[in-house]
Amino acid sequence: MLMAPMAMMAQPQHQKHQKMNPEQRAVLQAKTLRLHLDLTSAQEEKVKTLLVEQMEAKKSHRENAKAENLSGYERKLHQLDQKLAFKAAMKNILTEAQYENWNQIQTHKKRMAFHRSKKRNGKNKDVKNQRHKNQRQPSNRG
């Protein structure tokens, strides 16, 4: 009985993940794309620069949207404009085959994110439904 708490204490504590800055995230994403799409080093640099610009633009727009109290419609419109611009820039950087492969990767990411969210929401709904059922059951208090 006394061994279990001791074993838990002996395990190293996990460090909290530090947030990466936009440059670091861009480098990692560009390297990943270089592996998946077989990019040249020049293409990788262009993609990295594009990613840094995109991340910084998102951050500044998010801050401006809060300050200016933009509506959901305006935020979504800006987001879609940025996605279209990013897609056009990627098309200019990549070859036709790389661009097709990149599009397939993006589609797969969207599909997986959708399934993860459905799975997460489904679990939450099951928990909520179970709680709701437990609250509705009449008690047998004679």
Side-chain angles (χ1 to χ4, degrees):
M1 284 251 200
L2 209 48
M3 296 262 228
M6 291 293 232
M8 293 175 105
M9 290 174 57
Q11 294 177 354
Q13 298 294 321
H14 295 287
Q15 295 180 359
K16 288 185 178 180
H17 295 286
Q18 295 179 351
K19 289 187 176 182
M20 291 185 276
N21 64 33
E23 178 76 23
Q24 292 170 325
R25 286 195 313 261
V27 167
L28 292 178
Q29 287 180 356
K31 290 274 185 204
T32 302
L33 285 175
R34 185 172 187 178
L35 289 171
H36 289 289
L37 303 176
D38 197 28
L39 301 179
T40 65
S41 56
Q43 286 176 315
E44 181 183 359
E45 277 302 311
K46 289 178 183 177
V47 167
K48 184 182 81 163
T49 304
L50 181 64
L51 288 167
V52 169
E53 289 171 1
Q54 179 198 33
M55 289 176 198
E56 289 173 352
K58 277 185 182 180
K59 184 179 178 182
S60 67
H61 179 70
R62 197 175 317 118
E63 291 168 358
N64 291 342
K66 284 182 183 178
E68 296 173 12
N69 202 18
L70 294 179
S71 70
Y73 169 77
E74 291 168 325
R75 289 179 188 202
K76 189 67 176 178
L77 185 63
H78 179 79
Q79 179 188 15
L80 292 173
D81 288 341
Q82 291 299 315
K83 282 184 180 183
L84 289 170
F86 183 77
K87 198 170 185 176
M90 287 297 285
K91 194 170 191 170
N92 288 335
I93 295 170
L94 304 175
T95 64
E96 200 170 310
Q98 290 171 331
Y99 182 75
E100 288 299 318
N101 196 357
W102 178 75
N103 262 335
Q104 289 176 349
I105 291 169
Q106 298 306 307
T107 303
H108 179 72
K109 282 183 177 181
K110 286 178 192 172
R111 194 175 305 128
M112 293 306 292
F114 176 75
H115 288 299
R116 279 193 303 270
S117 70
K118 289 272 272 186
K119 191 183 265 187
R120 229 177 291 130
N121 289 339
K123 285 181 183 176
N124 290 341
K125 285 181 183 177
D126 291 341
V127 170
K128 286 179 184 177
N129 288 340
Q130 188 63 35
R131 285 185 195 152
H132 189 64
K133 284 181 185 178
N134 290 341
Q135 290 175 355
R136 286 191 302 170
Q137 290 177 350
S139 61
N140 293 334
R141 294 184 190 174

